Amino acid sequence: MAFRTDIEIAREAVKKPIQEIGAKLGISSDDLVPYGHDKAKVSAEFIAQARSKTDGKLILVTAINPTPAGEGKTTTTVGLGDGLNRIGKKAMICIREASLGPCFGMKGGAAGGGMAQVVPMEDINLHFTGDFHAITSAHNLLSAMIDNHIYWGNELRIDQRRVVWRRVMDMNDRALRDIVTSLGGVANGFPRQAGFDITVASEVMAILCLASDLDDLQKRLGDIIVAYRRDRSPVYARDIKADGAMTVLLKDAMQPNLVQTLEHNPAFVHGGPFANIAHGCNSVVATTTALKLADYVVTEAGFGADLGAEKFMNIKCRKAGIAPSVVVLVATVRAMKMNGGVAKADLGAENVEAVNKGCANLGRHIENLKGFGVPVVVAINHFVTDTDAEIEAVKAYVRGQGAEAILSRHWELGGKGAEDLAKRVAEVADSGVASFSPIYPDDMGLLDKIKTIASRIYRADEVLADKSVRDQLKQWEEAGYGHLPICMAKTQYSFSTDPNRRGAPNGHSVPVREVRLSAGAGFVVVICGEIMTMPGLPRVPSSEAIMLNDQGQIDGLF
Amino acid sequence: MAFRTDIEIAREAVKKPIQEIGAKLGISSDDLVPYGHDKAKVSAEFIAQARSKTDGKLILVTAINPTPAGEGKTTTTVGLGDGLNRIGKKAMICIREASLGPCFGMKGGAAGGGMAQVVPMEDINLHFTGDFHAITSAHNLLSAMIDNHIYWGNELRIDQRRVVWRRVMDMNDRALRDIVTSLGGVANGFPRQAGFDITVASEVMAILCLASDLDDLQKRLGDIIVAYRRDRSPVYARDIKADGAMTVLLKDAMQPNLVQTLEHNPAFVHGGPFANIAHGCNSVVATTTALKLADYVVTEAGFGADLGAEKFMNIKCRKAGIAPSVVVLVATVRAMKMNGGVAKADLGAENVEAVNKGCANLGRHIENLKGFGVPVVVAINHFVTDTDAEIEAVKAYVRGQGAEAILSRHWELGGKGAEDLAKRVAEVADSGVASFSPIYPDDMGLLDKIKTIASRIYRADEVLADKSVRDQLKQWEEAGYGHLPICMAKTQYSFSTDPNRRGAPNGHSVPVREVRLSAGAGFVVVICGEIMTMPGLPRVPSSEAIMLNDQGQIDGLF
């Protein structure tokens, strides 16, 4: 078989009507709200009725710290789901939606790869069912209502220098990062410094992904802090009276989107918060609904396990009252080699020594994940250049850590290539050995929560937080926000805050640059290092090559 | 029957599955791309195949100059469509999509009213099928690519002071009218003055509504002038290499949206360009496709006939190669009274004298419309306070103008109330008396085209255009744009450029403030007076009252 690109494979896929996919989960066509013939939202009524069912097993797919070699976390999530179905299990997949903006920059798709993809991949990577557009609209309605409130007399006495609610756009547009608005005279309002973030960085996105239903959604939207007064008292979205209309705009976006894998297995693709300033997981509604409909639910978390899995456990599972039965930690031989010091250009040559050296990163993640009381299975996502000796080196290392590593060839072979992985994952999930708990309790102080993550996950010696940061945390505790979990925003490339420190660094410090309160989402964001919330386009953006070909198909998307 | 609001009527509507509505037009369910159970797009393949069929009759609904009393143009369009179906004709409706932003300000819905509505009205007025979001994305991708091009070295030598392509958002947000972008240092680009318009004002919207197919769409997108160099030579979207990706983003948005009236008759709701800086009609694709599927197609144009119908004839019909068989001119007794000098508070009292006086506005429109070679039927959109004497006064006046006025009660009674109107309109359409032609030829000079509209439609004595405007028009003629039609942007409240001059003013001047070239849409915009392309929210925006009620229904939308 000649090499085919992801989009070629996706195009050739013979999809089943989405009603057939829904039927596998017991969803009647009346309870599916179709978007074309191959996508559908699940009705709120159906979801409410499903609440009484018992939960299936939750399987989290996470990864080592990402390297330029790529780990294939989404691909493994999809492949494992297909593998579980192949071995006769009733399984479904829950992943995040793709952001539109980065597609026009240089990012690859977010629908898996090779023979382990969800389809229709073009739609999933473009407008899909409009969820992100709805989030953009809801966010910017609040922004417009804030400036409108100030314009008409500012009854709430908002300090115009302390409006913290920015605007969003689902586009990589660096020109909008830092702007001055309301120029041009009296009719346009009071000039002030403002800016845009990319839509996935919106607190509305995080809220949509954590809300349990529309009532909870509206309450959380109302809780958003949009500005402060001169006396530093907060002004909420509720005070602006925007929460109702925002909820109306998000009504459909709250419903999970059902699609299918290349092997016609069901997948929810829903929500997609940033994995730095937010928690980086698909929606709670999708995951908890999937648990009612399938015996095994495979889901993923953003970035490496130090960020994504930590937040999945400490934020999403805590808030949603769910617990993983097993964690699948994705690694590749190539990534082990890069962690072991090999340059990307030299990854083609066998280098068992480098693999052994790089495994330290993998080992640290295994240890960390066990700290949540959850068993770990390592999935070696196979790449054509991997040698038997290299694969054996990873397996031996993982055995030494008291876990098991299984080679998986889903990228090449689809579910068939993931059967071994699926069997073992199902066994571990069914064994009942998991005894999940977050690594810090709700009632721990905010600074102590940060220190707990830094010491237990990052293995840092210390957290550096100056007085203003500590005072701010204390102030929030006094204002009743002390029970919130922490959302760490640091580089995804290292356990430390230095992206160049690969492997399993020790003895480092975690400097806290800034803390932000996401009162609606319900977490405190702790920023360690530069965090970009509005990307830019590269010198030659991929949008220059994206176009319809003579057959009306989309070329250049990936 | 107790009084019910539009939204209450719409909510209680028992809708048929959209596949049943499609079947009435011969569209199989495979050729319908569903968006929920009550909305669908028509596939491009079906539209291409339908091209060989013969055209039905085109009926344009337009109105007198709008007054605060309201005329009910969309309501009449829907009611007439239902009326035609009731008398046994195969008729369908083509109207514009609603803009999201104004819904949160104070604008009413755009889906008709009373018993003459298209449904689902909440969806139509909110995200609908995502067309406007797609337009926003395509527009802003081009914006981002322009600034990105400058950032990475500006190979095209764009004069940063002469970037004419702004950004758009589907929101009433006055703070974004006039902004400075790219602040914050080197990494954010070169600071420059910029701004946002509302999405319906985007040239991309006008292009989508005038393009005949995806190839034509991409060509027109490439033709957009985004900036000028220091030597004043234009830089096109094609030079930025954005046209391909923009077309991909607009692929689905190009397909007309099928919905139903309260009486289950088919309606295309597609596109919605501004009626001032653009041509204010639904899409050419929707209208031309409808003409292949139905024997009678009822469509509308924005604002009063001096703006909307003039552009429908001179821009849309000319470009699409279509011609109306009859024009329905909507008037109300209340609007006649306001034109006759009665204040809004006094409209409840009978005042035949004021009606007679106000009819001058109506008469002028009848005369103008006949100038296009098209017969006119006046529809008196009935209101409960209208007296027989007042109605008879309008009828008598219209008879005196060589036309006929018919009372229509579709708001109260739906299609049944519009049967008389439908019968007469069908008769006139079938009579073959129409002999349509635009009022100026392609090869007339641009300034002469403006003068032709000013004298023949506005009845102005003169067009005031200073040397810079005249030089600009001449320059465009030399650059090959002389064949384009004119898109007038002036107040909708008067034939003149002074909104306070109601009735049928004479002897006035038309001052041209500015001219703009919409090279992609294919018209020259002539701006006479203040034109607002980004509205603001009122002191108490309707968004404060929009929310989900206990039954999960949307309250406060209208």
Side-chain angles (χ1 to χ4, degrees), chain A residues 309-316 318 372 438-440 453 485:
Chain A
E310 184 270 306
K311 295 183 194 184
F312 178 84
M313 309 287 193
N314 283 320
I315 300 176
K316 181 173 174 177
R318 181 197 307 260
F372 288 96
I439 58 164
Y440 56 79
I453 296 167

Side-chain angles (χ1 to χ4, degrees), chain A residues 160-172:
Chain A
Q160 292 162 45
R161 303 163 307 174
R162 292 194 174 93
V163 176
V164 292
W165 191 251
R166 291 158 55 92
R167 287 172 176 82
V168 295
M169 188 185 278
D170 197 0
M171 195 57 68
N172 286 18

Side-chain angles (χ1 to χ4, degrees), chain A residues 29-37 100 104 123 126-127 130 133-134 136-138 140-141 143-145 147-148 151-153 167-184 187-189 193 196 214 218 240-252 536-541 543-548 552-555 557, chain B residues 29-37 100 104 123 126-127 130 133-134 136-138 140-141 143-145 147-148 151-153 167-184 187-189 193 196 214 218 240-252 536-541 543-548 552-555 557:
Chain A
S29 57
D30 284 349
D31 282 318
L32 284 179
V33 184
Y35 284 70
H37 301 289
L100 189 60
F104 300 113
D123 291 3
L126 293 172
H127 304 296
H133 291 315
T136 303
S137 294
N140 291 335
L141 173 62
S143 311
M145 288 177 77
D147 277 309
N148 191 59
Y151 177 85
W152 286 107
R167 287 172 176 82
V168 295
M169 188 185 278
D170 197 0
M171 195 57 68
N172 286 18
D173 191 349
R174 68 171 67 75
L176 295 178
R177 285 172 188 157
D178 198 346
I179 66 176
V180 171
T181 58
S182 298
L183 296 169
N188 296 352
Q193 203 168 0
F196 280 73
L214 286 171
Q218 178 156 356
I240 298 287
K241 298 182 184 143
D243 49 329
M246 291 171 78
T247 305
V248 166
L249 281 169
L250 295 168
K251 184 168 163 285
D252 297 334
L537 291 171
R539 182 185 289 270
V540 181
S543 51
E544 291 189 3
I546 294 174
M547 57 190 70
L548 295 178
Q553 298 164 324
I554 300 170
D555 272 352
L557 199 51
Chain B
S29 57
D30 284 349
D31 282 318
L32 286 179
V33 183
Y35 284 69
H37 301 290
L100 189 60
F104 300 112
D123 291 3
L126 293 173
H127 304 296
H133 292 316
T136 303
S137 294
N140 291 335
L141 173 62
S143 312
M145 288 178 77
D147 277 309
N148 191 59
Y151 177 84
W152 287 105
R167 287 172 175 80
V168 296
M169 188 185 278
D170 197 0
M171 195 59 67
N172 287 17
D173 190 347
R174 68 170 67 75
L176 294 178
R177 285 173 189 157
D178 197 347
I179 66 177
V180 171
T181 57
S182 299
L183 296 168
N188 296 352
Q193 203 169 0
F196 280 74
L214 287 170
Q218 176 155 355
I240 298 287
K241 298 186 184 135
D243 50 327
M246 291 171 78
T247 304
V248 166
L249 282 168
L250 295 168
K251 186 169 161 285
D252 297 335
L537 291 170
R539 182 183 289 270
V540 182
S543 52
E544 291 188 2
I546 294 175
M547 57 190 70
L548 295 178
Q553 298 164 323
I554 300 170
D555 272 353
L557 199 50

Side-chain angles (χ1 to χ4, degrees), chain B residues 33-48:
Chain B
V33 183
Y35 284 69
H37 301 290
D38 50 13
K39 307 177 289 294
K41 284 185 170 284
V42 181
S43 78
E45 294 72 26
F46 178 86
I47 290 173

Side-chain angles (χ1 to χ4, degrees), chain A residues 13-292:
Chain A
V14 180
K15 288 166 285 185
K16 291 198 175 161
I18 198 64
Q19 290 77 8
E20 276 187 45
I21 308 300
K24 289 189 181 187
L25 300 170
I27 312 174
S28 76
S29 57
D30 284 349
D31 282 318
L32 284 179
V33 184
Y35 284 70
H37 301 289
D38 49 12
K39 308 176 288 291
K41 285 185 168 283
V42 181
S43 78
E45 295 72 26
F46 179 86
I47 290 173
Q49 281 161 18
R51 290 231 167 91
S52 59
K53 298 188 184 176
T54 53
D55 278 350
K57 301 273 196 303
L58 182 59
I59 300 162
L60 173 69
V61 176
T62 183
I64 55 169
N65 289 94
T67 71
E71 289 65 47
K73 200 169 49 196
T74 304
T75 303
T76 303
T77 303
V78 175
L80 175 57
D82 281 339
L84 285 162
N85 276 288
R86 270 190 77 89
I87 63 168
K89 306 293 186 186
K90 188 178 181 185
M92 75 176 291
I93 293 157
C94 285
I95 60 174
R96 288 168 290 166
E97 296 181 60
S99 179
L100 189 60
C103 287
F104 300 113
M106 51 187 182
K107 190 179 155 288
M115 297 307 293
Q117 296 188 50
V118 288
V119 284
M121 81 96 99
E122 296 97 323
D123 291 3
I124 292 170
N125 282 297
L126 293 172
H127 304 296
F128 200 28
T129 59
D131 294 344
F132 286 17
H133 291 315
I135 290 166
T136 303
S137 294
H139 184 116
N140 291 335
L141 173 62
L142 177 54
S143 311
M145 288 177 77
I146 295 165
D147 277 309
N148 191 59
H149 179 87
I150 295 170
Y151 177 85
W152 286 107
N154 198 9
E155 206 176 307
L156 290 168
R157 293 175 295 109
I158 290 170
D159 183 342
Q160 292 162 45
R161 303 163 307 174
R162 292 194 174 93
V163 176
V164 292
W165 191 251
R166 291 158 55 92
R167 287 172 176 82
V168 295
M169 188 185 278
D170 197 0
M171 195 57 68
N172 286 18
D173 191 349
R174 68 171 67 75
L176 295 178
R177 285 172 188 157
D178 198 346
I179 66 176
V180 171
T181 58
S182 298
L183 296 169
V186 172
N188 296 352
F190 297 86
R192 66 178 183 83
Q193 203 168 0
F196 280 73
D197 296 321
I198 192 161
T199 298
V200 288
S202 168
E203 188 177 344
V204 177
M205 172 68 85
I207 289 172
L208 183 105
C209 289
L210 288 168
S212 53
D213 56 24
L214 286 171
D215 286 342
D216 187 35
L217 178 74
Q218 178 156 356
K219 191 205 155 293
R220 287 169 179 269
L221 292 170
D223 286 342
I224 294 171
I225 295 174
V226 299
Y228 294 89
R229 298 184 183 84
R230 278 192 92 99
D231 66 6
R232 307 293 173 95
S233 64
V235 178
Y236 298 94
R238 187 175 293 112
D239 302 328
I240 298 287
K241 298 182 184 143
D243 49 329
M246 291 171 78
T247 305
V248 166
L249 281 169
L250 295 168
K251 184 168 163 285
D252 297 334
M254 266 294 279
Q255 306 311 122
N257 306 297
L258 180 67
V259 293
Q260 62 194 288
T261 67
L262 291 175
E263 301 184 5
H264 313 303
N265 294 311
F268 279 156
V269 178
H270 193 221
F274 248 27
N276 46 40
I277 57 145
H279 61 294
C281 309
N282 76 294
S283 79
V284 163
V285 172
T287 306
T288 55
T289 302
L291 285 167
K292 301 298 184 188

Side-chain angles (χ1 to χ4, degrees), chain B residues 15-277:
Chain B
K15 287 167 288 185
K16 292 201 174 159
I18 198 64
Q19 288 78 8
E20 276 187 45
I21 307 300
K24 289 189 183 186
L25 300 170
I27 312 175
S28 75
S29 57
D30 284 349
D31 282 318
L32 286 179
V33 183
Y35 284 69
H37 301 290
D38 50 13
K39 307 177 289 294
K41 284 185 170 284
V42 181
S43 78
E45 294 72 26
F46 178 86
I47 290 173
Q49 281 160 18
R51 291 231 167 93
S52 59
K53 297 187 185 176
T54 53
D55 279 349
K57 299 274 196 303
L58 183 59
I59 300 161
L60 173 69
V61 176
T62 184
I64 56 168
N65 288 93
T67 71
E71 289 66 46
K73 199 169 49 192
T74 304
T75 304
T76 302
T77 303
V78 175
L80 175 57
D82 282 340
L84 285 163
N85 276 287
R86 270 189 77 89
I87 62 167
K89 305 292 185 184
K90 187 176 181 187
M92 76 175 292
I93 292 156
C94 284
I95 59 174
R96 287 168 292 167
E97 296 181 58
S99 180
L100 189 60
C103 287
F104 300 112
M106 52 185 182
K107 189 180 154 287
M115 297 308 291
Q117 295 188 51
V118 287
V119 283
M121 81 96 99
E122 296 97 322
D123 291 3
I124 291 170
N125 283 298
L126 293 173
H127 304 296
F128 199 28
T129 59
D131 293 343
F132 287 17
H133 292 316
I135 289 166
T136 303
S137 294
H139 183 118
N140 291 335
L141 173 62
L142 177 54
S143 312
M145 288 178 77
I146 295 165
D147 277 309
N148 191 59
H149 178 88
I150 296 169
Y151 177 84
W152 287 105
N154 197 9
E155 207 176 305
L156 291 168
R157 292 175 296 111
I158 291 170
D159 183 343
Q160 293 161 46
R161 304 163 305 174
R162 293 196 174 94
V163 175
V164 292
W165 193 251
R166 289 157 57 93
R167 287 172 175 80
V168 296
M169 188 185 278
D170 197 0
M171 195 59 67
N172 287 17
D173 190 347
R174 68 170 67 75
L176 294 178
R177 285 173 189 157
D178 197 347
I179 66 177
V180 171
T181 57
S182 299
L183 296 168
V186 172
N188 296 352
F190 297 86
R192 64 178 185 83
Q193 203 169 0
F196 280 74
D197 296 321
I198 191 161
T199 298
V200 288
S202 168
E203 189 179 344
V204 177
M205 172 69 86
I207 289 172
L208 184 106
C209 290
L210 287 169
S212 53
D213 56 23
L214 287 170
D215 285 341
D216 187 36
L217 177 74
Q218 176 155 355
K219 192 208 155 291
R220 286 167 179 271
L221 292 170
D223 286 343
I224 294 171
I225 294 174
V226 298
Y228 294 89
R229 298 185 182 84
R230 279 191 92 98
D231 65 6
R232 308 294 173 91
S233 62
V235 177
Y236 298 93
R238 187 175 293 114
D239 302 328
I240 298 287
K241 298 186 184 135
D243 50 327
M246 291 171 78
T247 304
V248 166
L249 282 168
L250 295 168
K251 186 169 161 285
D252 297 335
M254 265 296 279
Q255 305 313 123
N257 306 296
L258 179 67
V259 295
Q260 62 193 288
T261 67
L262 292 174
E263 301 183 6
H264 314 302
N265 293 312
F268 280 155
V269 179
H270 193 222
F274 248 28
N276 45 40
I277 58 143

